[in-house]
């Protein structure tokens, strides 16, 4: 109940803000702007922005800074999904219950949509005013985010993911792939929330980062489980596609029961680090529970 309440509040807020900052479809290039809006304003759960708002509010951040950080993360996340769905990568035709960007607009536009979303994300972050945030903290945000989505983060995780398709790997390799491709963006969201409040205390940031990394792993293992147990209509993407593509997952390596136990253990570890950060955690915890409660 609490989880639902907080998530809905943050979803409404970020959806309105994203609608406001995305270029109009009446501005050239029309089709590119249609594709950008189509790929962002199409009903994502907005978990990452909810984590930013909840972390930032716990530390009394300026709401205008939180809006910009949340939008930047959602734009990057949408970019990663558009490119992930491309024929050259996962070749998925359905995303958030609708035709994927390349199916709706063609591959060239989908590639450019990703490029433009990434550029817009960093333009937004760099536009935070020095009255709202110390410039060195703003720069740190940009450094953290660009590092966590580059070759040592999300893009690197995706490269490894593509390389192991159809191959057998062990659990530690899979854990590395999940950390890079999923956990780093979730950890970056939480760190951006804290930095929005000018929080620079190393111990707090270290514990929050670990909270994010473990939460991200729990999220991705639960995603593997949903791919087996949920339905295409609920997921908004094809159920069973991991198995169909012979993708290594936690359930494929451990079995379903052990994978579920692993997700719970990892989630508890995440909560342990959140507690160690000593920040006000009511809303963050409510949002975190959604990671394992969600059905899509
Ligand atoms: C951004 C530099 C840069 C590169 C991108 C294509 C790519 C490299 C990365 C893709 C990574 C990827 C698809 C990871 C999967 C993460 C995941 C479980 C996504 C689904 O997240 P949800 O369920 O999606 O939060 P919604 O639709 O709710 O937003």
């Amino acid at each position: 109940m609490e989880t639902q309440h907080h998530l809905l509040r943050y979803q409404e807020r970020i959806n309105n803000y994203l609608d406001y900052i995305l270029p109009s479809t009446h501005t050239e290039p029309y089709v590119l702007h249609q594709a950008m809006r189509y790929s962002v304003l199409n009903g994502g759960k907005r978990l990452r922005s909810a984590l930013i708002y909840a972390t930032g509010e716990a530390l009394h951040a300026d709401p205008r800074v939180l809006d910009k950080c949340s939008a930047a993360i959602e734009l990057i996340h949408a970019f990663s999904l558009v490119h992930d769905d491309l024929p050259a990568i996962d070749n998925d035709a359905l995303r958030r219950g609708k035709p994927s960007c390349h199916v709706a607009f063609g591959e060239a536009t989908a590639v450019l949509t990703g490029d433009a979303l990434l550029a817009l994300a960093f333009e937004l972050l760099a536009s935070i005013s020095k009255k709202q945030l110390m410039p060195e903290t703003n720069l740190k945000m940009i450094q953290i985010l660009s590092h966590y989505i580059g070759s040592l983060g999300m893009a690197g995780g995706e490269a490894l993911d593509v390389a192991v398709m159809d191959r057998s790997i062990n659990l530690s390799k899979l854990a590395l792939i999940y950390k890079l491709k999923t956990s780093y963006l979730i950890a970056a969201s939480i760190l951006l929330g804290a930095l929005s409040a000018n929080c620079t205390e190393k111990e707090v940031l270290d514990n929050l980062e670990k909270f994010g990394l473990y939460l991200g792993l729990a999220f991705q293992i639960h995603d593997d489980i949903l791919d087996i147990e949920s339905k295409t209509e609920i997921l908004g993407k094809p159920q069973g596609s991991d198995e169909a593509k012979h993708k290594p997952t936690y359930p494929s390596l451990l079995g379903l029961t052990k994978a579920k136990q692993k997700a719970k253990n990892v989630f508890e570890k995440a909560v342990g680090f959140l507690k160690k950060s000593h920040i006000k955690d009511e809303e963050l915890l409510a949002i975190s529970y959604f990671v394992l409660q969600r059905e899509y």
Side-chain angles (χ1 to χ4, degrees):
M1 184 55 201
E2 277 298 285
T3 299
Q4 212 50 10
H5 165 76
H6 292 305
L7 198 59
L8 284 174
R9 181 164 72 86
Y10 294 135
Q11 280 169 345
E12 194 183 345
R13 181 172 177 141
I14 192 60
N15 286 340
N16 288 335
Y17 190 72
L18 286 165
D19 184 36
Y20 166 69
I21 52 106
L22 278 162
S24 158
T25 54
H26 301 295
T27 304
E28 282 279 32
Y30 305 126
V31 176
L32 183 60
H33 291 152
Q34 278 165 23
M36 287 166 72
R37 297 183 71 89
Y38 177 90
S39 304
V40 175
L41 304 174
N42 61 350
K45 294 182 286 295
R46 313 301 190 202
L47 170 72
R48 294 155 191 80
S49 38
L51 289 168
I52 295 180
Y53 283 121
T55 310
E57 285 178 3
L59 292 161
H60 314 291
D62 185 321
R64 293 164 299 180
V65 178
L66 294 178
D67 284 337
K68 286 190 172 172
C69 290
S70 298
I73 291 278
E74 288 297 338
L75 294 174
I76 289 170
H77 172 56
F79 155 45
S80 77
L81 300 181
V82 168
H83 280 199
D84 186 58
D85 289 338
L86 284 168
I89 303 191
D90 259 8
N91 196 16
D92 278 322
L94 196 65
R95 170 66 65 183
R96 294 174 173 169
K98 289 193 196 149
S100 306
C101 183
H102 68 275
V103 174
F105 294 92
E107 274 182 58
T109 300
V111 170
L112 293 167
T113 296
D115 298 342
L117 293 176
L118 180 64
L120 182 56
F122 282 100
E123 184 185 342
L124 267 180
L125 278 183
S127 73
I128 294 172
S129 115
K130 62 179 179 210
K131 286 189 194 131
Q132 293 163 3
L133 189 70
M134 289 186 322
E136 52 274 36
T137 313
N138 193 3
L139 192 58
K140 188 155 178 66
M141 278 180 174
I142 294 172
Q143 281 168 339
I144 287 179
L145 188 57
S146 45
H147 185 74
Y148 280 16
I149 66 171
S151 65
L152 298 173
M154 184 163 58
E158 187 75 343
L160 292 175
D161 198 50
V162 170
V164 303
M165 197 103 67
D166 271 328
R167 302 233 331 253
S168 62
I169 56 167
N170 62 25
L171 209 54
S172 66
K173 179 88 180 228
L174 187 63
L176 172 68
I177 295 174
Y178 282 7
K179 181 176 175 182
L180 298 178
K181 87 165 185 175
T182 304
S183 297
Y184 270 149
L185 192 62
I186 290 181
S189 306
I190 292 161
L191 288 177
L192 258 54
L195 290 168
S196 297
N198 277 307
C199 167
T200 47
E201 245 178 90
K202 191 176 173 333
E203 209 185 322
V204 176
L205 294 176
D206 284 351
N207 283 310
L208 286 178
E209 180 181 27
K210 288 190 185 115
F211 160 58
L213 291 175
Y214 281 107
L215 191 68
L217 180 57
F219 178 89
Q220 186 61 61
I221 300 174
H222 189 69
D223 220 60
D224 293 351
I225 294 165
L226 289 178
D227 188 73
I228 297 171
E229 293 196 328
S230 191
K231 294 195 175 76
T232 300
E233 312 83 77
I234 298 174
L235 285 175
K237 57 184 180 180
Q239 180 269 336
S241 69
D242 290 343
E243 199 185 348
K245 288 177 184 150
H246 306 291
K247 267 195 169 185
T249 62
Y250 271 72
S252 77
L253 294 187
L254 287 178
L256 198 51
T257 311
K258 281 193 179 155
K260 284 183 184 176
Q261 192 53 52
K262 179 79 184 170
K264 274 193 196 140
N265 294 345
V266 170
F267 181 80
E268 277 158 22
K269 248 182 160 163
V271 172
F273 282 111
L274 173 59
K275 294 281 170 201
K276 275 176 85 175
S277 76
H278 297 299
I279 73 166
K280 186 174 161 282
D281 61 16
E282 234 169 85
E283 296 195 359
L284 257 178
L285 268 179
I287 299 298
S288 303
Y289 284 124
F290 175 70
V291 164
L292 294 192
Q293 283 168 2
R294 71 197 170 102
E295 290 171 4
Y296 66 104

